[in-house]
């Protein structure tokens, strides 16, 4: 891929932003046990925190797509980073549960309305039609790399400030400062593309309405919906390792960081390259979701006495497959022939459908853990993950059929 310095700088800036901006909103993914001890919330309350975040996300996805087709990415991403960082300073004061819900809701707006579709559109504009799998794979991999770096830095803060209430506060302040600093950096690194700023508010809205009328866009969103639901089950593997397998909290956090971020850096670009070699992200997703279903099913039969090395190794392989899924399920918009000028609108549709699981999935998984303590709760999570993956495969077959009809017409 022959790219100019400015194009690579833009991609790096987007990766840096994408790898950092979700850290505060999803702090529970890595510091679940520490947050339980510091905030004193139940598993269900943690689920409600994510639901509050998801509600405002759900509301912001469509207008976010409209704004992204109207305002250049260069301006949207820095504002999003800085405003999210300010929320982090508030969270570090350990406010009551109601205030935490408000913080999560505000971050749903700052991240989704201003950042999410801007990240997707910015990435698509950098690559050609034949490079979409690789570009989105590099995006996910780059996000994983920068997320790994900043997460290990945050873990260093957490351990050096006592691994307790003070350690968690130091971690939240660290993330807040990093986000504000990145906002300034991204403003100077991100290049303004020539295709941006060419439509007015009415034209952008007309484009959104046009894209919303295309059934193939909603089916593509279904792939993201089921793939994302499947992926979210991974966030509970950290507590699975500590509660069921007996791993220490610090070691569980370290493994979780590797699983969630470092694996993404390695696996996502590889998945994107494979999808491009196959000539279809849709066909690749069929295979990856099927393999993910099989790997998750192993956890239903594998004994917990098998050994921590085997359990962690299997988890990392499953994580690698999932990261290739995440690295390709937004690459389908070019394949189903959505014009670049409407890519923000398409990203809005895919996002509002694909991220709907945030409205219920964490509460559902949290309920399984509270209602069925121990290994049984985790088994219900694994079963739910497998169901979502199989339904995602079904959407892939349907979208492939629609793609053939588009070509024949």
């Amino acid at each position: 891929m022959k790219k100019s310095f400015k194009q690579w700088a833009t991609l790096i800036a987007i990766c840096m932003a994408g790898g950092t901006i979700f850290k505060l909103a999803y702090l529970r993914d890595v510091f679940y046990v520490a947050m339980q001890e510091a905030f004193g919330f139940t598993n269900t309350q943690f689920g409600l925190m994510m639901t509050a975040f998801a509600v405002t996300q759900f509301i912001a996805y469509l207008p976010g797509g409209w704004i992204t087709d109207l305002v250049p990415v260069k301006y949207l991403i820095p504002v999003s980073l800085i405003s999210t960082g300010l929320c982090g300073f508030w969270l570090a004061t350990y406010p009551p549960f109601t205030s935490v819900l408000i913080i999560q809701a505000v971050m749903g707006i700052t991240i989704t309305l201003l950042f999410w579709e801007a990240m997707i559109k910015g990435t698509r504009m950098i690559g050609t039609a034949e490079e979409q799998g690789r570009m989105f794979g590099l995006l996910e991999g780059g996000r994983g790399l920068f997320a790994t770096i900043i997460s290990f830095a945050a873990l260093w803060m957490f351990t050096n400030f006592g691994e307790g209430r003070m350690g968690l506060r130091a971690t939240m302040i660290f993330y807040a400062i990093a986000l504000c600093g990145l906002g300034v950096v991204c403003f100077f690194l991100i290049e303004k593309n020539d295709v941006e700023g060419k439509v007015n508010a009415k034209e952008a809205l007309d484009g959104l309405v046009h894209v919303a009328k295309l059934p193939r866009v909603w089916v593509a969103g279904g792939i993201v919906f089921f793939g994302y639901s499947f992926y979210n089950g991974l966030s509970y593997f950290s507590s699975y390792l500590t509660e069921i397998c007996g791993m220490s909290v610090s070691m569980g956090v370290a493994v979780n960081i590797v699983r969630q971020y470092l694996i993404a850096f390695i696996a996502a670009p590889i998945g994107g390259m494979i999808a491009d070699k196959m000539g279809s992200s849709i066909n690749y997703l069929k295979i990856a979701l099927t393999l993910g279903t099989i790997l998750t099913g192993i956890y239903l039969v594998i004994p917990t006495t098998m050994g921590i090395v085997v359990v962690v190794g299997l988890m990392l392989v499953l994580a690698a497959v999932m990261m290739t899924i995440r690295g390709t399920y937004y690459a389908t918009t070019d394949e189903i022939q959505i014009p670049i000028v409407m890519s923000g609108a398409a990203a809005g549709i895919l996002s509002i459908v694909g991220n709907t699981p945030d409205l219920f999935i964490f509460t559902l998984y949290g309920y399984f853990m509270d209602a069925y303590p121990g290994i049984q709760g985790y088994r219900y999570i694994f079963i739910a993950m497998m169901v979502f993956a199989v339904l995602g495969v079904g959407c892939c077959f349907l979208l492939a059929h629609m793609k053939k009809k588009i070509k024949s017409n």
Side-chain angles (χ1 to χ4, degrees):
M1 295 185 296
K2 295 181 179 180
K3 303 294 175 189
S4 68
F5 172 79
K6 288 186 177 180
Q7 286 175 311
W8 283 118
T10 296
L11 180 60
I12 291 171
I14 292 174
C15 289
M16 290 170 61
T20 309
I21 196 167
F22 289 95
K23 291 286 147 281
L24 287 169
Y26 287 93
L27 195 65
R28 55 173 291 288
D29 279 7
V30 176
F31 297 96
Y32 196 97
V33 176
M35 288 187 71
Q36 275 189 318
E37 295 174 354
F39 283 93
F41 297 159
T42 65
N43 292 314
T44 303
Q45 284 179 310
F46 274 114
L48 290 172
M49 282 173 54
M50 299 313 299
T51 299
F53 178 69
V55 167
T56 51
Q57 276 192 304
F58 188 81
I59 295 170
Y61 278 127
L62 279 181
W66 173 73
I67 289 174
T68 302
D69 285 337
L70 192 63
V71 181
V73 171
K74 178 180 180 67
Y75 307 126
L76 291 175
I77 289 180
V79 173
S80 175
L81 289 165
I82 294 171
S83 57
T84 305
L86 295 177
C87 290
F89 286 116
W90 185 9
L91 189 64
T93 64
Y94 288 117
F97 180 65
T98 303
S99 297
V100 172
L101 291 180
I102 294 172
I103 293 171
Q104 289 289 111
V106 172
M107 286 195 291
I109 295 173
T110 61
I111 293 173
T112 307
L113 185 70
L114 303 177
F115 178 80
W116 182 250
E117 284 98 345
M119 178 188 73
I120 296 171
K121 183 174 181 177
T123 303
R124 185 183 172 188
M125 288 189 299
I126 297 171
T128 65
E130 294 76 22
E131 298 171 341
Q132 291 301 300
R134 276 170 285 182
M135 294 311 302
F136 280 95
L138 286 171
L139 169 67
E140 198 64 32
R143 289 174 63 197
L145 172 63
F146 288 109
T148 301
I149 295 171
I150 198 163
S151 293
F152 272 114
L155 178 59
W156 183 87
M157 297 288 292
F158 177 68
T159 55
N160 278 271
F161 279 82
E163 296 191 8
R165 191 177 175 89
M166 286 300 297
L168 188 63
R169 173 174 283 154
T171 301
M172 290 185 285
I173 293 174
F174 169 75
Y175 278 139
I177 293 173
L179 284 167
C180 292
L182 273 175
V184 177
V185 172
C186 284
F187 177 77
F188 290 102
L189 283 184
I190 294 177
E191 179 186 25
K192 184 178 177 182
N193 194 287
D194 291 337
V195 304
E196 295 182 286
K198 301 296 184 181
V199 297
N200 57 39
K202 184 181 182 301
E203 290 171 336
L205 182 60
D206 290 341
L208 178 61
V209 173
H210 172 75
V211 170
K213 293 179 180 179
L214 301 176
R216 62 184 184 269
V217 175
W218 294 93
V219 176
I223 296 175
V224 183
F225 176 97
F226 293 118
Y228 186 56
S229 299
F230 179 46
Y231 166 79
N232 277 331
L234 268 181
S235 66
Y236 291 88
F237 277 68
S238 177
S239 56
Y240 177 82
L241 291 174
T242 55
E243 291 182 16
I244 306 301
C245 302
M247 183 179 284
S248 69
V249 174
S250 295
M251 183 60 69
V253 170
V255 170
N256 213 34
I257 291 173
V258 172
R259 183 271 301 169
Q260 191 170 359
Y261 307 124
L262 185 58
I263 292 296
F265 169 63
I266 299 170
I270 293 175
M273 286 187 287
I274 294 173
D276 284 343
K277 287 292 184 181
M278 291 178 64
S280 172
S281 297
I282 299 170
N283 289 336
Y284 175 75
L285 286 166
K286 294 178 189 175
I287 299 171
L289 285 165
T290 301
L291 180 58
T293 304
I294 296 170
L295 291 171
T296 306
I298 296 175
Y299 274 97
L300 295 175
V301 297
I302 189 173
T304 55
T305 56
M306 180 65 73
I308 195 68
V309 174
V310 175
V311 175
V312 172
L314 178 61
M315 182 197 70
L316 294 179
V317 174
L318 176 61
V321 173
M322 286 192 176
M323 290 306 174
T324 66
I325 294 170
R326 280 179 60 86
T328 52
Y329 59 29
Y330 277 106
T332 59
T333 53
D334 190 88
E335 193 172 341
I336 58 176
Q337 299 182 20
I338 303 299
I340 190 75
V341 72
M342 298 179 185
S343 59
I349 298 293
L350 263 65
S351 297
I352 197 171
V353 176
N355 290 279
T356 298
D358 279 337
L359 293 171
F360 67 89
I361 200 69
F362 292 106
T363 302
L364 174 66
Y365 288 157
Y367 167 77
F368 285 149
M369 293 177 66
D370 286 337
Y372 305 95
I375 186 65
Q376 191 60 37
Y378 288 101
R379 284 174 176 162
Y380 280 124
I381 291 175
F382 300 149
I383 292 171
M385 290 169 63
M386 294 172 66
V387 171
F388 289 130
V390 170
L391 292 172
V393 174
C395 285
C396 289
F397 276 101
L398 180 57
L399 190 61
H401 175 70
M402 289 180 166
K403 177 185 171 183
K404 288 182 180 179
K405 290 186 69 175
I406 294 170
K407 286 188 175 182
S408 65
N409 291 332

